[in-house]
Amino acid sequence: MASNEQYDSVPLEMRDRSQKSSESSDTGKDEAVNLKQKITLLNGVTVIVGSIIGSGIFVSPKGVMQDAGSVGLSLIIWVLCGLFSMVGAYCYSELGTSIRRSGADYAYMYEAFGPVVAFLRLWIECMIVRPCSQAIVALTFAYYVIEPLFPDCEQPLIAVRLLAAVCILILMFVNCMSVRWATRVQDVFTYAKVLALVLIIITGFVQLGRGEVEYFQDPWAHTQTDITRIALSFYSGLFAYNGWNYLNFVIEELQEPKKNLPKAIWISIILVTVVYVLANVAYLTTVSREETLSGAAVAVMFSKRLYGVMWWVMPVFVSLSTFGGVNGILFTTARLFYVGGREGHMPQILSMVQIQKLTPMPAVIFMGLTSLLYLVSADMFALIKYVSFVNWMSIGLSIVVLLYFRKTRPNMERPIKVHLFWPILYVSITFLLVLLPIIASPVETGFGMIIIASGVPVYIIFVYWESKPKGFYEFLDKATLALQKFFMVIPEENTSKTE
């Protein structure tokens, strides 16, 4: 989607202003216009934890229980999903420190398999999975914000959509203005969501101390034996863990990535796994298996039973959690758009940096506006189900990149080198997670394959076909220059970044 001409026509006043703007930028020293290494280890942990803990832990217990069948198996699946995510994150720590380019899966596939496979991954992730996921989390935020106002009736759909749109627009503004603002928002709301889960866990321990173990007395009753159904229960659990690889998308902005990436990954995944398992145990001290299956908002059911007139505290905490989740998705996905534009797989304007704020403003805005489009639909969960197996297929293919480079680039610098047992194990399990749902839900997975295939003609027309009419390129150049002037953005200056 890039033009065949160089963007040397950037107005001189913009370039002059970009040199002066660094004096008032967050760094105050580096005059290069590019994304800076401002993400600390603590920021990295909160990016991962904040991206993982969104709406999943508050609604996924129903999905896991529904396909697992029993209390015992559902708790085991929550543990296994955490361990599986940990293995994947461990493999990603080698990829992230060996290929230090933002974009994560997209960058790894581009390095290993070339532009076509990378583009298809970018197409699915940027145009469907991420915007749709962000819209769903924003709707969840809106739903819980107004829950205390409508305790006994259904929330007005128009109010939910408008509030979700406001949430996205506010976070678009924050992410456009400052990387530091965005990471501080992530920090604060990550603490809030962890506090919500700690409150649930402490309450659960109090319940256990009171002898509330009725729903644990026959933990294996109704256990599902159909392996395809069990695989679908893993999808619900892994949806709640989704986001463990998000820090890899912003690796170029992470301080000391060789040291901080693996530390952030290990701290985050261990913390989330422990919190998730204990939260599910806490739920089951008060909410029965049958009640969990009857409604998705298990956290609200839990709070209404135990907190009396203060039950509204839980919807507030869930709102804070999902607000941080929207910010995490927007922050990391904007960088994926940014890298796609830099590689010529998306409009080049998306790879440009705001000369004063030093943020990928066009990419942030494009991601936010794409998410807003999905708010017109009331049922987006079906679309996520269509492409969920594709998402895991893509992550599995990224781990295949690790194995591929071990064979083709044995002397490649690898600050972290994992034992081959772990990537082989991860790829094998991912293969089953992709294959079994195809058998169990052929219609949904068929739609997912159609969505993938739709990226092929887009690639051929906008990327592969280089001899397009001259008028097309002239229009693209004029449009890009106009957007550059409007947003005050220029291509990043390739300068060396210290770790």
Side-chain angles (χ1 to χ4, degrees):
M1 293 184 184
S3 168
N4 64 340
E5 298 181 10
Q6 298 296 321
Y7 288 86
D8 294 330
S9 56
V10 177
L12 290 176
E13 65 270 18
M14 288 179 63
R15 292 192 176 276
D16 294 339
R17 188 172 179 179
S18 72
Q19 293 175 358
K20 297 177 182 178
S21 66
S22 61
E23 297 176 2
S24 59
S25 69
D26 292 333
T27 59
K29 295 179 181 180
D30 189 354
E31 295 186 354
V33 178
N34 51 33
L35 301 183
K36 307 302 181 183
Q37 291 180 317
K38 298 179 182 178
I39 301 177
T40 65
L41 173 61
L42 178 61
N43 295 148
V45 171
T46 58
V47 164
I48 298 176
V49 174
S51 298
I52 293 177
I53 303 177
S55 60
I57 185 56
F58 303 107
V59 297
S60 286
K62 176 184 176 180
V64 174
M65 186 76 74
Q66 185 171 278
D67 290 308
S70 68
V71 169
L73 184 57
S74 67
L75 291 176
I76 289 175
I77 286 173
W78 279 103
V79 174
L80 292 178
C81 285
L83 294 175
F84 182 66
S85 300
M86 201 174 297
V87 172
Y90 182 42
C91 296
Y92 262 60
S93 67
E94 175 176 325
L95 289 167
T97 53
S98 302
I99 306 172
R100 292 191 291 276
R101 294 170 55 192
S102 291
D105 306 355
Y106 169 75
Y108 310 149
M109 291 181 192
Y110 196 102
E111 284 273 333
F113 307 125
V116 178
V117 175
F119 178 84
L120 291 178
R121 172 56 175 163
L122 184 70
W123 175 256
I124 288 294
E125 192 74 8
C126 288
M127 302 308 295
I128 300 169
V129 176
R130 293 294 191 90
C132 189
S133 297
Q134 179 164 286
I136 288 173
V137 178
L139 285 170
T140 306
F141 159 80
Y143 175 88
Y144 279 102
V145 162
I146 63 176
E147 170 75 14
L149 302 178
F150 301 90
D152 301 317
C153 61
E154 188 174 350
Q155 291 83 347
L157 186 58
I158 185 65
V160 172
R161 286 175 172 168
L162 287 174
L163 192 55
V166 170
C167 169
I168 292 173
L169 290 171
I170 289 174
L171 290 173
M172 276 175 54
F173 175 78
V174 170
N175 279 266
C176 285
M177 289 298 100
S178 171
V179 171
R180 183 165 287 122
W181 288 8
T183 54
R184 284 177 178 171
V185 167
Q186 198 66 21
D187 292 348
V188 171
F189 285 92
T190 296
Y191 302 147
K193 67 182 66 180
V194 171
L195 181 61
L197 290 170
V198 167
L199 177 62
I200 291 173
I201 292 168
I202 291 175
T203 306
F205 277 121
V206 172
Q207 287 289 89
L208 290 174
R210 292 174 175 174
E212 298 291 342
V213 294
E214 176 185 353
Y215 304 132
F216 297 100
Q217 290 179 354
D218 192 6
W220 306 110
H222 310 289
T223 297
Q224 180 62 248
T225 57
D226 185 348
I227 188 67
T228 58
R229 289 289 301 278
I230 294 174
L232 290 175
S233 72
F234 269 93
Y235 270 10
S236 295
L238 290 172
F239 172 76
Y241 282 96
N242 191 34
W244 54 260
N245 60 332
Y246 280 13
L247 189 59
N248 288 59
F249 284 89
V250 293
I251 189 70
E252 292 179 14
E253 296 172 77
L254 179 65
Q255 297 174 3
E256 299 184 87
K258 293 180 183 179
K259 180 177 70 174
N260 287 335
L261 178 62
K263 282 185 179 180
I265 286 172
W266 285 111
I267 293 170
S268 304
I269 302 298
I270 293 172
L271 174 63
V272 170
T273 302
V274 171
V275 167
Y276 274 11
V277 174
L278 292 180
N280 277 278
V281 170
Y283 288 148
L284 290 166
T285 64
T286 304
V287 183
S288 69
R289 170 187 173 276
E290 291 73 22
E291 289 171 328
T292 301
L293 294 175
S294 68
V298 63
V300 174
M301 297 171 66
F302 180 85
S303 64
K304 285 184 176 180
R305 293 277 177 83
L306 298 177
Y307 300 149
V309 295
M310 295 296 293
W311 70 270
W312 55 267
V313 170
M314 191 54 60
V316 170
F317 274 131
V318 175
S319 301
L320 296 176
S321 173
T322 50
F323 190 82
V326 172
N327 186 70
I329 295 172
L330 180 59
F331 182 80
T332 56
T333 306
R335 273 63 182 174
L336 186 57
F337 282 122
Y338 176 83
V339 175
R342 191 168 63 186
E343 298 293 344
H345 282 177
M346 299 196 80
Q348 191 172 358
I349 186 67
L350 299 182
S351 67
M352 297 188 184
V353 179
Q354 216 284 333
I355 61 175
Q356 292 177 308
K357 307 301 180 182
L358 301 181
T359 61
M361 183 179 289
V364 170
I365 293 173
F366 185 75
M367 171 61 185
L369 294 180
T370 307
S371 300
L372 290 175
L373 293 177
Y374 282 94
L375 294 179
V376 302
S377 173
D379 182 15
M380 293 170 293
F381 290 94
L383 185 57
I384 287 296
K385 188 175 181 181
Y386 295 153
V387 298
S388 61
F389 88 101
V390 178
N391 190 42
W392 290 108
M393 182 192 300
S394 300
I395 292 175
L397 190 58
S398 294
I399 307 300
V400 171
V401 171
L402 186 155
L403 298 172
Y404 177 76
F405 282 150
R406 287 289 187 93
K407 178 68 175 178
T408 59
R409 302 184 187 180
N411 299 321
M412 182 181 186
E413 181 186 1
R414 293 179 174 87
I416 298 173
K417 190 173 183 179
V418 305
H419 193 284
L420 283 177
F421 170 79
W422 299 113
I424 292 173
L425 174 66
Y426 192 89
V427 170
S428 301
I429 296 175
T430 302
F431 176 77
L432 292 175
L433 285 175
V434 170
L435 178 63
L436 293 175
I438 291 177
I439 299 172
S441 304
V443 175
E444 288 83 356
T445 51
F447 274 108
M449 297 303 293
I450 292 173
I451 292 170
I452 295 176
S454 67
V456 175
V458 175
Y459 177 81
I460 292 174
I461 294 172
F462 290 99
V463 181
Y464 181 77
W465 181 24
E466 296 182 352
S467 58
K468 291 185 282 290
K470 183 179 179 181
F472 175 85
Y473 289 118
E474 291 177 349
F475 170 78
L476 187 62
D477 288 342
K478 290 179 180 178
T480 301
L481 186 58
L483 289 172
Q484 282 185 261
K485 291 179 178 179
F486 182 77
F487 292 116
M488 297 298 289
V489 296
I490 63 173
E492 74 165 343
E493 299 175 7
N494 294 319
T495 58
S496 60
K497 299 182 181 74
T498 59
E499 294 178 5

